[in-house]
Amino acid sequence: CRALKRVREDMGLVNVEVMVPFVRTVAEARGVTELLASNGLKRGENGLEIYVMCEIPNNVIQIDAFAKLFDGFSIGSNDLTQLVLGVDRDSEELAELFDEQDDAVKWMIENVIREAHKAGTKIGLCGQAPSDHPEFAEFLIACGIDSISVSPDSFLAVKQKVAAAAASARERCGLAAVGGQLIGTLSKGYQQRVGIAQAIVHEPDLMILDEPTVGLDPNQIREIRSLIRELGSGRGVILSTHILPEVETVCDRVQIMHEGRVVYSGTVD
């Protein structure tokens, strides 16, 4: 604590944050943050953010409780894999069973990313998996990870995977021609496209769009409706709108609600 205070306060490096490793229980998490605060490292003071490693199954199971005590998470995929699979990665006899791409491990990672975002906290990954398996980076992108840490020797391969996913989303949303512009300089129609691109870069099975064409000019409306139809061919799209011509143009099925109750459910015809 004294070293951190000196770095932040005496040396002026206030961008140095705290990362707490291997926190087993919520009670232990509470105790750590209280100990830091008692030594002059209180979360929120002087911009201090406190992060926690997510490397124990309990961190995933009780993500909501941990999220109230920390500003963000860093998934330690090595330790998380060991503890989910019950495998000592340093054991020669069990080494072949250690697999960060095991379905159970990926389920843990996918769920903790989703729940961390629901709680409004940042989450990244600092394990070895993206470095050893660049395709694992694609999985993390699909889950909506905020950041990925990789080893220097694998940086280029992982970066190419991430760039390919972003380029695919830009191309599908017709953003290639304006890819170098700031979002704030784009027209309302292109800004809507950017929002849709951000949603599909993770390749979700379901998209929910709320009044996506409000405020657009007639040409932009036609373009966005055409894009929604195209995207709907490969995934589920739920469109919330009060514009009946839009429903007829875009939707295959419709549900009409009145005072919280479904009064019609069927085809557009």
Side-chain angles (χ1 to χ4, degrees):
C1 290
R2 289 196 298 269
L4 283 167
K5 277 178 64 65
R6 182 182 176 189
V7 167
R8 287 179 54 85
E9 296 176 8
D10 297 342
M11 300 176 67
L13 301 176
V14 293
N15 61 329
V16 174
E17 312 294 1
V18 177
M19 176 76 76
V20 185
F22 221 80
V23 180
R24 301 166 185 82
T25 66
V26 175
E28 190 173 43
R30 211 172 278 120
V32 168
T33 55
E34 290 172 358
L35 177 64
L36 288 168
S38 68
N39 283 275
L41 293 168
K42 187 174 182 180
R43 180 185 174 201
E45 285 190 357
N46 197 23
L48 177 64
E49 292 187 339
I50 301 177
Y51 293 78
V52 65
M53 292 294 296
C54 178
E55 51 195 351
I56 299 171
N58 195 37
N59 301 145
V60 180
I61 295 167
Q62 297 199 76
I63 180 69
D64 288 343
F66 282 105
K68 293 175 182 176
L69 299 170
F70 297 99
D71 295 288
F73 300 88
S74 181
I75 300 169
S77 59
N78 294 342
D79 283 327
L80 185 61
T81 300
Q82 283 195 120
L83 294 169
V84 168
L85 299 181
V87 173
D88 180 359
R89 67 172 182 244
D90 296 322
S91 168
E92 292 184 4
E93 295 181 2
L94 301 176
E96 65 180 26
L97 298 176
F98 182 86
D99 182 9
E100 290 159 310
Q101 299 196 81
D102 184 274
D103 286 344
V105 178
K106 292 174 75 173
W107 184 92
M108 283 279 187
I109 292 173
E110 182 178 3
N111 276 270
V112 78
I113 292 172
R114 182 182 63 249
E115 296 305 315
H117 286 160
K118 281 184 182 179
T121 55
K122 294 167 283 190
I123 185 164
L125 185 137
C126 63
Q128 188 67 22
S131 299
D132 292 342
H133 311 285
E135 68 275 12
F136 194 77
E138 291 186 287
F139 161 72
L140 295 173
I141 294 167
C143 292
I145 195 84
D146 294 317
S147 63
I148 303 172
S149 175
V150 297
S151 59
D153 61 311
S154 65
F155 172 75
L156 183 59
V158 174
K159 183 179 179 180
Q160 288 172 338
K161 289 284 186 181
V162 174
S168 175
R170 284 197 302 268
E171 184 68 29
R172 292 162 68 186
C173 292
L175 292 167
V178 296
Q181 294 183 226
L182 295 174
I183 295 174
T185 66
L186 300 177
S187 67
K188 184 70 181 294
Y190 271 115
Q191 289 183 14
Q192 290 285 65
R193 287 173 179 268
V194 170
I196 294 173
Q198 289 174 325
I200 67 170
V201 73
H202 309 134
E203 293 293 346
D205 295 325
L206 178 67
M207 292 177 61
I208 301 176
L209 303 175
D210 183 22
E211 306 280 5
T213 60
V214 169
L216 304 185
D217 65 40
N219 288 332
Q220 293 170 339
I221 289 174
R222 284 194 296 271
E223 292 172 355
I224 292 296
R225 287 176 180 174
S226 176
L227 175 59
I228 294 170
R229 285 290 295 181
E230 179 186 341
L231 294 173
S233 64
R235 59 177 49 80
V237 178
I238 297 177
L239 175 68
S240 173
T241 181
H242 66 281
I243 305 172
L244 293 182
E246 187 158 274
V247 174
E248 294 175 335
T249 302
V250 174
C251 301
D252 298 316
R253 295 184 58 81
V254 61
Q255 284 192 333
I256 299 175
M257 299 187 68
H258 178 66
E259 296 183 348
R261 299 180 62 185
V262 177
V263 295
Y264 176 79
S265 180
T267 63
V268 176
D269 297 335

